[in-house]
Amino acid sequence: MSTEKTSGPNDSLNFLEEIVEDDLRTGRVEHILTRFPPEPNGYLHIGHAKSIVVNFGLAQKYGGKTNLRFDDTNPSTEEQEYVDGILNDIRWLGYNPANVFFASDYFDQIYEWAKHLVGEGKAYVDFSTPEEIAVLKGTPTEPGKDSPYRNTSPEENLDLLERMRTGEFPDGHCVLRAKVDMTSPNMLLRDPIMYRIKHAHHHRTGDKWCIYPMYDWAHGQSDSIEGITHSICTLEFAPHRALYDWFIEQLSIYPSHQYEFSRFNLTYTVMSKRKLLQLVREGHVNGWDDPRMPTLAGMRRRGFLPESLREFATRIGVTKRENLIELSLLEFHIREGLNKIALRRFAVLDPLKVVIENYPEGQMEWLETENNPEDPETGKRALPFTRELFIEQDDFMENPPPKYFRLFPGGMVRLKSAFIIRCDRVEKDADGKPNTVYCSYVPESRSGQDTSGLKVQGVIHWLSAEHAKQAEVRLYDRLFQLENPGVEDDFKKSLNPTSLQVISHAMVEPALMEVTSGEKFQFTRLGYFCVDPDSTPGNPVFNRTVTLKDAWAKAQKK
RNA sequence: UGGCCCAUGGUGUAAUGGUAACACAGCAGUUUUUGGUACUGUUUUUCAGGGUUCGAGUCCUUGUGGGCCAACCA
């Protein structure tokens, strides 16, 4: 048998890594410096997580650094709350920016550069209305026409710009535009706006400015000031690159370069900030950190591990293609991470009482069970076993289908880490729902010292009724029922009505009464759960992060 | 009807002119006191036509299909 098998994605580079290696080899750059440039107008989501992993990951791999730069050029939508949240999310994901900067740190320099361009006749103040500007801009297939203000002298423009800055004009009265090419096939080159007037309070510069630079007139300049070698963004910015380069060339400043990769889409998820904001505002979810949200805050509260997210982001790759990633890939990485570290605990979400009729009343014994079979060093714990127990309703069926190997009348099942029991009879409510199952146990079948010789296929979890404690459990499911809700006219039409199911009286083992917010467990046979911050002493709340894979449930669906 | 970007299994990503592979998903099985985990096997792939070449997923060309661009948003 050959053991030489060394192909796979691990030894191949994505296109950004190829560019970087090339730049390093040819000496275009000595060290790479990337940046992650969020606008502080919302919370980070899983799409940003990929961008963070790409930017920080690339720098880490090649011994470079990454700055965090808040793109705060629009005071009307940006807030300090978001700055704090974003910083927190990035650190949680496992990254530390080399520097934390703000585009607003550079407003003075950017203004000086604007004056320079005006002085050279490469920018002008335009008093046209937004409508007039739009009409003269043309369309993608028709060239635009020059604005009547395009040939104002540099001297007059300099004066006008200064008056814009000092607050002489009201909002929207005029704009500063770059003089590029009104006939360019690239719409962004048709005399793009550099500054607009906004008499608004800025979260950092206060009331110092009433003109604010547009994205194109701030981003590349900020990159250049910081000496960013590789300015990585998503595909929709590709047409901006021509402008990015144009400004840098006109100013003869450090030539940062822009590279674009495709953003990713996730099935059953929307990712646009606008839509996420709508979900929050309209109360379809309980805030930005609702565990159903694809925000980092939501996923953290849901119980996702940052390393799972990093691995997922790496696995989906970096390309320029449209793509729609299956949610099951994310879930795979979540389970993989949690399987190794989550301690196992017993919980019964939908209790059904079991009475072991041949087990003496009042008797109790401690039975040992492992905390995590994947990690023996986590040791064992003891569970109290008594005559009256709880099992899941799901684990009993009066008339089971073929291959059902849990409990049914006349059938036997193993209580995990305890005994084998046989179901003798069942007592039902008036509506026919089983309410108590009477069983007998096999004393010599005790786990670890089973001499019964019996073989049973099913193993189920259980709780001593007398010792079990109540807890709230929140079961989360996908927020949308459609694979690609974002492409519908109304994405909210496919909202999943059962994306949250609250079980206020689940039963759990006593040890789960003393937990801390954020702690993660596997509830044996049910899934991974995480302690919600809503928990109070004695009243824990558990969020279901993700279910376990369930071959039986899958087979039943067919 | 202008410009830019893109096209490899169900999904995503490799293969850098020389045997189309990896992961997830699916299916089948082994192990298992979690119908979990682990392990094994397996179904399924180069958008179409033309060209260059001994040889094309890869290069050229023409189509076709998809995405992006006409905020004083980023």
Side-chain angles (χ1 to χ4, degrees), chain A residues 197-230:
Chain A
I197 299 173
K198 270 180 193 265
H199 291 268
H201 189 81
H202 187 279
H203 72 113
R204 288 188 64 88
T205 59
D207 298 314
K208 178 177 177 184
W209 298 90
C210 65
I211 57 172
Y212 290 94
M214 298 287 289
Y215 168 83
D216 289 305
W217 177 240
H219 199 91
Q221 285 48 59
S222 305
D223 283 343
S224 181
I225 290 168
E226 293 178 19
I228 299 299
T229 56
H230 299 262

Short mmCIF file of all heavy atoms in Angstrom, two decimals, chain A residues 197-230:
data_model
loop_
_atom_site.label_atom_id
_atom_site.label_comp_id
_atom_site.label_asym_id
_atom_site.label_seq_id
_atom_site.Cartn_x
_atom_site.Cartn_y
_atom_site.Cartn_z
N ILE A 197 -21.59 67.80 1.79
CA ILE A 197 -21.78 68.61 2.99
C ILE A 197 -22.79 67.92 3.90
O ILE A 197 -23.88 67.56 3.48
CB ILE A 197 -22.32 70.01 2.62
CG1 ILE A 197 -21.31 70.74 1.73
CG2 ILE A 197 -22.61 70.84 3.90
CD1 ILE A 197 -21.82 72.06 1.17
N LYS A 198 -22.36 67.70 5.14
CA LYS A 198 -23.26 67.11 6.14
C LYS A 198 -22.97 67.81 7.46
O LYS A 198 -21.91 67.59 8.05
CB LYS A 198 -22.95 65.61 6.31
CG LYS A 198 -23.71 64.66 5.41
CD LYS A 198 -23.27 63.23 5.72
CE LYS A 198 -23.74 62.26 4.65
NZ LYS A 198 -25.01 61.61 5.01
N HIS A 199 -23.89 68.63 7.89
CA HIS A 199 -23.71 69.27 9.19
C HIS A 199 -24.15 68.27 10.24
O HIS A 199 -25.26 68.34 10.76
CB HIS A 199 -24.53 70.57 9.26
CG HIS A 199 -24.00 71.64 8.37
ND1 HIS A 199 -23.07 72.57 8.77
CD2 HIS A 199 -24.22 71.89 7.05
CE1 HIS A 199 -22.78 73.37 7.77
NE2 HIS A 199 -23.45 72.98 6.69
N ALA A 200 -23.28 67.30 10.49
CA ALA A 200 -23.65 66.24 11.43
C ALA A 200 -22.53 66.03 12.43
O ALA A 200 -21.36 66.26 12.14
CB ALA A 200 -23.90 64.93 10.66
N HIS A 201 -22.93 65.60 13.60
CA HIS A 201 -21.95 65.33 14.66
C HIS A 201 -21.30 63.98 14.41
O HIS A 201 -21.97 62.98 14.19
CB HIS A 201 -22.67 65.32 16.01
CG HIS A 201 -21.73 65.26 17.18
ND1 HIS A 201 -21.08 66.38 17.67
CD2 HIS A 201 -21.31 64.22 17.92
CE1 HIS A 201 -20.30 66.02 18.68
NE2 HIS A 201 -20.43 64.71 18.86
N HIS A 202 -19.96 63.99 14.43
CA HIS A 202 -19.22 62.76 14.17
C HIS A 202 -18.79 62.14 15.50
O HIS A 202 -18.39 62.86 16.41
CB HIS A 202 -18.01 63.08 13.29
CG HIS A 202 -17.26 61.87 12.83
ND1 HIS A 202 -16.34 61.23 13.62
CD2 HIS A 202 -17.29 61.20 11.65
CE1 HIS A 202 -15.84 60.19 12.94
NE2 HIS A 202 -16.40 60.16 11.75
N HIS A 203 -18.86 60.82 15.58
CA HIS A 203 -18.57 60.16 16.85
C HIS A 203 -17.14 60.36 17.34
O HIS A 203 -16.85 60.12 18.51
CB HIS A 203 -18.91 58.66 16.77
CG HIS A 203 -17.95 57.86 15.93
ND1 HIS A 203 -17.11 56.92 16.46
CD2 HIS A 203 -17.69 57.90 14.61
CE1 HIS A 203 -16.37 56.38 15.49
NE2 HIS A 203 -16.71 56.96 14.35
N ARG A 204 -16.26 60.80 16.47
CA ARG A 204 -14.88 61.05 16.91
C ARG A 204 -14.43 62.50 16.70
O ARG A 204 -13.75 63.05 17.56
CB ARG A 204 -13.91 60.11 16.19
CG ARG A 204 -14.02 58.68 16.69
CD ARG A 204 -12.94 57.81 16.12
NE ARG A 204 -11.61 58.20 16.52
CZ ARG A 204 -11.01 57.77 17.62
NH1 ARG A 204 -11.64 56.96 18.45
NH2 ARG A 204 -9.78 58.16 17.91
N THR A 205 -14.80 63.08 15.55
CA THR A 205 -14.31 64.44 15.28
C THR A 205 -15.30 65.50 15.74
O THR A 205 -15.05 66.69 15.57
CB THR A 205 -14.02 64.63 13.78
OG1 THR A 205 -15.24 64.39 13.04
CG2 THR A 205 -12.96 63.64 13.30
N GLY A 206 -16.41 65.03 16.31
CA GLY A 206 -17.38 65.98 16.85
C GLY A 206 -17.93 66.90 15.76
O GLY A 206 -18.42 66.42 14.75
N ASP A 207 -17.82 68.22 16.00
CA ASP A 207 -18.38 69.17 15.04
C ASP A 207 -17.29 69.87 14.25
O ASP A 207 -17.51 70.93 13.66
CB ASP A 207 -19.25 70.19 15.77
CG ASP A 207 -20.42 69.51 16.45
OD1 ASP A 207 -21.08 68.67 15.80
OD2 ASP A 207 -20.66 69.77 17.65
N LYS A 208 -16.11 69.29 14.24
CA LYS A 208 -15.01 69.93 13.53
C LYS A 208 -15.29 70.04 12.03
O LYS A 208 -14.90 71.00 11.39
CB LYS A 208 -13.73 69.12 13.76
CG LYS A 208 -12.52 69.70 13.01
CD LYS A 208 -11.25 68.92 13.30
CE LYS A 208 -10.09 69.48 12.47
NZ LYS A 208 -8.86 68.70 12.64
N TRP A 209 -15.94 69.04 11.48
CA TRP A 209 -16.16 69.02 10.04
C TRP A 209 -17.64 69.08 9.68
O TRP A 209 -18.48 68.54 10.40
CB TRP A 209 -15.57 67.74 9.42
CG TRP A 209 -14.10 67.61 9.59
CD1 TRP A 209 -13.45 67.02 10.62
CD2 TRP A 209 -13.10 68.10 8.70
NE1 TRP A 209 -12.08 67.10 10.44
CE2 TRP A 209 -11.85 67.77 9.26
CE3 TRP A 209 -13.13 68.79 7.48
CZ2 TRP A 209 -10.63 68.11 8.63
CZ3 TRP A 209 -11.94 69.11 6.86
CH2 TRP A 209 -10.70 68.78 7.44
N CYS A 210 -17.90 69.74 8.55
CA CYS A 210 -19.27 69.66 8.01
C CYS A 210 -19.21 69.13 6.59
O CYS A 210 -20.21 69.04 5.90
CB CYS A 210 -19.97 71.00 8.09
SG CYS A 210 -19.21 72.26 7.06
N ILE A 211 -17.99 68.82 6.14
CA ILE A 211 -17.87 68.10 4.86
C ILE A 211 -17.20 66.77 5.18
O ILE A 211 -16.30 66.69 6.02
CB ILE A 211 -17.05 68.87 3.81
CG1 ILE A 211 -15.65 69.18 4.34
CG2 ILE A 211 -17.76 70.14 3.38
CD1 ILE A 211 -14.71 69.76 3.28
N TYR A 212 -17.68 65.73 4.53
CA TYR A 212 -17.13 64.40 4.79
C TYR A 212 -16.76 63.73 3.47
O TYR A 212 -17.51 63.82 2.49
CB TYR A 212 -18.15 63.55 5.55
CG TYR A 212 -18.32 64.03 6.97
CD1 TYR A 212 -19.33 64.93 7.30
CD2 TYR A 212 -17.46 63.61 7.98
CE1 TYR A 212 -19.48 65.40 8.59
CE2 TYR A 212 -17.61 64.07 9.29
CZ TYR A 212 -18.62 64.96 9.59
OH TYR A 212 -18.76 65.43 10.88
N PRO A 213 -15.60 63.08 3.43
CA PRO A 213 -15.16 62.45 2.18
C PRO A 213 -16.00 61.22 1.87
O PRO A 213 -16.45 60.52 2.77
CB PRO A 213 -13.71 62.05 2.47
CG PRO A 213 -13.66 61.88 3.95
CD PRO A 213 -14.62 62.89 4.51
N MET A 214 -16.21 60.97 0.58
CA MET A 214 -16.89 59.76 0.14
C MET A 214 -15.93 58.59 0.27
O MET A 214 -14.72 58.77 0.37
CB MET A 214 -17.31 59.90 -1.33
CG MET A 214 -18.29 61.04 -1.57
SD MET A 214 -19.92 60.65 -0.95
CE MET A 214 -20.42 59.41 -2.12
N TYR A 215 -16.47 57.38 0.19
CA TYR A 215 -15.65 56.17 0.28
C TYR A 215 -14.43 56.22 -0.63
O TYR A 215 -13.29 55.99 -0.19
CB TYR A 215 -16.50 54.95 -0.07
CG TYR A 215 -15.67 53.70 -0.27
CD1 TYR A 215 -15.28 52.93 0.81
CD2 TYR A 215 -15.26 53.32 -1.55
CE1 TYR A 215 -14.49 51.81 0.63
CE2 TYR A 215 -14.47 52.20 -1.74
CZ TYR A 215 -14.09 51.44 -0.65
OH TYR A 215 -13.31 50.35 -0.84
N ASP A 216 -14.67 56.53 -1.92
CA ASP A 216 -13.56 56.49 -2.88
C ASP A 216 -12.49 57.54 -2.60
O ASP A 216 -11.36 57.39 -3.00
CB ASP A 216 -14.09 56.66 -4.31
CG ASP A 216 -14.85 55.43 -4.77
OD1 ASP A 216 -14.27 54.33 -4.74
OD2 ASP A 216 -16.03 55.57 -5.15
N TRP A 217 -12.91 58.61 -1.93
CA TRP A 217 -11.97 59.67 -1.62
C TRP A 217 -11.46 59.56 -0.19
O TRP A 217 -11.08 60.51 0.44
CB TRP A 217 -12.59 61.06 -1.89
CG TRP A 217 -11.68 62.19 -1.52
CD1 TRP A 217 -11.91 63.18 -0.60
CD2 TRP A 217 -10.36 62.45 -2.04
NE1 TRP A 217 -10.84 64.03 -0.51
CE2 TRP A 217 -9.87 63.60 -1.38
CE3 TRP A 217 -9.56 61.80 -2.99
CZ2 TRP A 217 -8.60 64.13 -1.64
CZ3 TRP A 217 -8.30 62.33 -3.25
CH2 TRP A 217 -7.84 63.49 -2.59
N ALA A 218 -11.53 58.42 0.39
CA ALA A 218 -11.02 58.26 1.74
C ALA A 218 -10.30 56.92 1.89
O ALA A 218 -9.26 56.83 2.51
CB ALA A 218 -12.16 58.34 2.76
N HIS A 219 -10.89 55.93 1.24
CA HIS A 219 -10.37 54.58 1.49
C HIS A 219 -8.94 54.39 0.99
O HIS A 219 -8.05 53.98 1.73
CB HIS A 219 -11.30 53.54 0.87
CG HIS A 219 -11.09 52.19 1.46
ND1 HIS A 219 -11.81 51.75 2.56
CD2 HIS A 219 -10.23 51.22 1.14
CE1 HIS A 219 -11.37 50.55 2.89
NE2 HIS A 219 -10.43 50.19 2.04
N GLY A 220 -8.73 54.67 -0.29
CA GLY A 220 -7.39 54.49 -0.86
C GLY A 220 -6.38 55.40 -0.20
O GLY A 220 -5.21 55.02 -0.01
N GLN A 221 -6.83 56.60 0.17
CA GLN A 221 -5.91 57.55 0.81
C GLN A 221 -5.51 57.05 2.18
O GLN A 221 -4.36 57.15 2.58
CB GLN A 221 -6.60 58.93 0.89
CG GLN A 221 -6.67 59.66 -0.45
CD GLN A 221 -7.18 58.77 -1.57
OE1 GLN A 221 -8.30 58.24 -1.51
NE2 GLN A 221 -6.37 58.58 -2.58
N SER A 222 -6.48 56.48 2.90
CA SER A 222 -6.19 55.92 4.21
C SER A 222 -5.22 54.74 4.08
O SER A 222 -4.26 54.61 4.84
CB SER A 222 -7.48 55.45 4.89
OG SER A 222 -8.41 56.51 4.96
N ASP A 223 -5.47 53.91 3.08
CA ASP A 223 -4.57 52.78 2.81
C ASP A 223 -3.15 53.29 2.58
O ASP A 223 -2.18 52.77 3.12
CB ASP A 223 -5.02 52.01 1.56
CG ASP A 223 -6.23 51.11 1.82
OD1 ASP A 223 -6.51 50.82 3.00
OD2 ASP A 223 -6.88 50.69 0.85
N SER A 224 -3.06 54.31 1.76
CA SER A 224 -1.75 54.85 1.39
C SER A 224 -1.03 55.43 2.60
O SER A 224 0.16 55.21 2.79
CB SER A 224 -1.94 55.90 0.30
OG SER A 224 -0.69 56.42 -0.09
N ILE A 225 -1.78 56.19 3.41
CA ILE A 225 -1.18 56.79 4.61
C ILE A 225 -0.60 55.72 5.51
O ILE A 225 0.50 55.85 6.05
CB ILE A 225 -2.24 57.61 5.38
CG1 ILE A 225 -2.60 58.88 4.59
CG2 ILE A 225 -1.74 57.96 6.78
CD1 ILE A 225 -3.83 59.61 5.10
N GLU A 226 -1.33 54.62 5.67
CA GLU A 226 -0.87 53.55 6.55
C GLU A 226 0.18 52.66 5.91
O GLU A 226 0.83 51.86 6.58
CB GLU A 226 -2.08 52.68 6.99
CG GLU A 226 -3.05 53.45 7.88
CD GLU A 226 -4.27 52.62 8.29
OE1 GLU A 226 -4.20 51.38 8.21
OE2 GLU A 226 -5.27 53.23 8.68
N GLY A 227 0.33 52.78 4.59
CA GLY A 227 1.29 51.93 3.89
C GLY A 227 0.78 50.53 3.68
O GLY A 227 1.56 49.55 3.66
N ILE A 228 -0.53 50.41 3.53
CA ILE A 228 -1.13 49.10 3.27
C ILE A 228 -0.58 48.57 1.94
O ILE A 228 -0.62 49.27 0.93
CB ILE A 228 -2.66 49.22 3.20
CG1 ILE A 228 -3.24 49.75 4.52
CG2 ILE A 228 -3.30 47.87 2.82
CD1 ILE A 228 -2.98 48.89 5.74
N THR A 229 -0.06 47.34 1.97
CA THR A 229 0.50 46.80 0.73
C THR A 229 -0.56 46.10 -0.10
O THR A 229 -0.55 46.17 -1.32
CB THR A 229 1.62 45.78 1.05
OG1 THR A 229 1.09 44.75 1.90
CG2 THR A 229 2.79 46.46 1.74
N HIS A 230 -1.50 45.43 0.60
CA HIS A 230 -2.53 44.68 -0.10
C HIS A 230 -3.88 45.05 0.49
O HIS A 230 -4.19 44.67 1.62
CB HIS A 230 -2.28 43.18 0.01
CG HIS A 230 -0.96 42.76 -0.58
ND1 HIS A 230 -0.84 42.24 -1.84
CD2 HIS A 230 0.30 42.85 -0.09
CE1 HIS A 230 0.44 42.00 -2.11
NE2 HIS A 230 1.15 42.36 -1.05
#
